[in-house]
Amino acid sequence: RDPEMSRGLGDVYKRQPVLSQNGRKLKLKQSGLTGYSLLTDHNGEVFYQQIVQYMRDTLGSQGVQLLLNRMSERERKTQEADKNANTAESGDTVENYDSAMDKAAQESKNAQETPKGEFSTGQGNNSVVQPPSAVKNPITVIKRIMKMGVLELVLPLGKGISGKEINTGTLLSGREQQKGMDMPDGTTAENSYTASILFQQYLLDHLGNYTDPSTCGLAYQMEYIYGGRDNDMDNLKSVAAKLLFIREGVNFACLMADTGKRAQAEALATAIAAGFLVPPAAVVIETALILCWAFAESVLDVRELFAGGRIPLVKTSDQWQISLVNLSELMSGLDTFRRSDDSGMSYEDYLQVLILTVPKGKKVLRSMDMIENSIRSQGRPHFCLDSCIVALEAFADVNAENRKDFQVIRQYAYE
């Protein structure tokens, strides 16, 4: 074991046994350990509970309640956004836009003879019609943007990405762990919502992330807890993709509830359908426009978060960043359309909500990986959390002046 592990218990080991009491001579017959607990026992439950207790003591009851209120509201709204995003995604309206337009064009063609030369694109019977140049159709532009890499879209210009990697096989999650000896009182799992929030707040306070990277081990440690990959780039990519998905859900719901913006989408859809000479396609075009609008706004949202700004979880109409008529100009306006809102949530706030969705077991194990990795990078390359003793029970059989034998049992632990 790492010699530093025994710090705090060293005094226990160095003490000489007291072999006299009230003038009587005592003789030590035998002694030993009857149990000991390691920090990683019970799937890291000891580690987890120590952090939770530390946070309770640090924040106090009022601080804990404020934190709970803030996080529970964010979690509720994010879950709603996730549902909205899944609903929008399941429709595949943007992906099926081409086929829907072809179908509408065929229906229109069957209803009346199509004027010669209006629809031809040189692609055969399954060609997608093109509107006249007078009508701007942003759907085709946004469809191309959707195929781009997520980090390319959302990361600010001039800010690099960490290329750090780790060997997870040497960390706690990737190796066979040492186990302690069960203590008489055992360990009861703490699964309360309050505990999970306190644990996450501790992680945010002590581990690095994209906006405040760590100089020890991986730079984006909080992103590792969410993504679980062995390198910063892949973990950042997983967070960025999920943030974009959530923001799409929120923005889609905002658009659907905004009568003014719905009217704009309907008017443009009608104009595009008329330009295509396929009026039946207006409904499909309108839905695709709303999804494209939500996506474009989400790109700007996530880009602002990565730049250190704040974005409201749910927006009002006047907090919108990009207009419908500017959708086609999204790529040229990535850093001009954006705007922050001081009342909104930061990247770290959103990151906490994402990590709430990670199962407790994975969250605890990955956080222990990051702590091990950080300590090792600071000059202690053999540090192992599963060599940290947090409690032990010892016994001693003692004889008093060759007349009476008795046993002493003591427990020592970090409180």
Side-chain angles (χ1 to χ4, degrees), residues 16 25 42 55 57 131 135 168-169 180 189 207 219-220 234 242 248 259 291 323 325 351 358 364 367 394 401 412:
Q16 296 297 320
K25 292 183 178 180
H42 305 287
M55 292 301 291
D57 296 341
V135 180
T168 53
L207 298 182
Y220 312 146
D234 283 346
K242 186 62 177 179
E248 280 188 77
T259 54
L291 286 168
S323 65
V325 296
L351 191 56
V358 179
V364 173
S367 62
E401 295 184 339
Y412 302 92

Side-chain angles (χ1 to χ4, degrees), residues 34-231:
T34 55
Y36 65 91
S37 293
L38 301 178
L39 189 62
T40 54
D41 282 347
H42 305 287
N43 300 315
E45 187 64 32
V46 177
F47 167 84
Y48 182 81
Q49 291 187 20
Q50 282 192 358
I51 286 178
V52 171
Q53 187 56 51
Y54 167 81
M55 292 301 291
R56 289 185 193 276
D57 296 341
T58 302
L59 295 177
S61 58
Q62 288 187 333
V64 170
Q65 192 57 52
L66 287 172
L67 180 62
L68 284 175
N69 292 343
R70 186 167 68 246
M71 288 302 299
S72 60
E73 177 68 7
R74 290 173 181 170
E75 184 183 23
R76 181 184 64 78
K77 290 182 177 179
T78 304
Q79 287 174 347
E80 290 177 2
D82 229 1
K83 287 181 181 179
N84 290 332
N86 280 308
T87 300
E89 193 79 10
S90 65
D92 289 332
T93 307
V94 177
E95 290 76 3
N96 292 336
Y97 169 77
D98 289 345
S99 59
M101 290 297 293
D102 283 338
K103 182 179 179 181
Q106 187 60 47
E107 290 175 356
S108 181
K109 186 176 181 179
N110 293 338
Q112 60 182 12
E113 184 66 23
T114 304
K116 202 171 183 180
E118 288 281 354
F119 295 90
S120 176
T121 59
Q123 298 178 14
N125 293 333
N126 293 323
S127 61
V128 179
V129 294
Q130 302 296 324
S133 57
V135 180
K136 278 193 174 181
N137 182 9
I139 298 174
T140 53
V141 176
I142 298 300
K143 280 181 62 182
R144 287 196 299 269
I145 296 174
M146 285 177 171
K147 295 177 181 178
M148 295 173 60
V150 64
L151 294 183
E152 183 182 357
L153 284 174
V154 302
L155 292 188
L157 289 174
K159 190 168 182 180
I161 304 174
S162 167
K164 290 184 178 180
E165 299 182 12
I166 55 173
N167 180 0
T168 53
T170 65
L171 297 177
L172 192 70
S173 63
R175 67 172 187 266
E176 185 177 352
Q177 300 174 25
Q178 299 185 78
K179 304 292 183 183
M181 295 170 57
D182 284 339
M183 299 282 285
D185 293 339
T187 301
T188 303
E190 168 66 270
N191 293 313
S192 70
Y193 180 76
T194 300
S196 68
I197 296 299
L198 292 175
F199 181 73
Q200 283 195 195
Q201 186 61 48
Y202 176 89
L203 297 181
L204 187 64
D205 291 344
H206 291 82
L207 298 182
N209 63 76
Y210 177 79
T211 58
D212 184 18
S214 171
T215 57
C216 305
L218 285 179
Y220 312 146
Q221 296 166 324
M222 290 295 285
E223 286 84 350
Y224 172 81
I225 292 175
Y226 178 76
R229 308 294 181 83
D230 63 0
N231 65 87

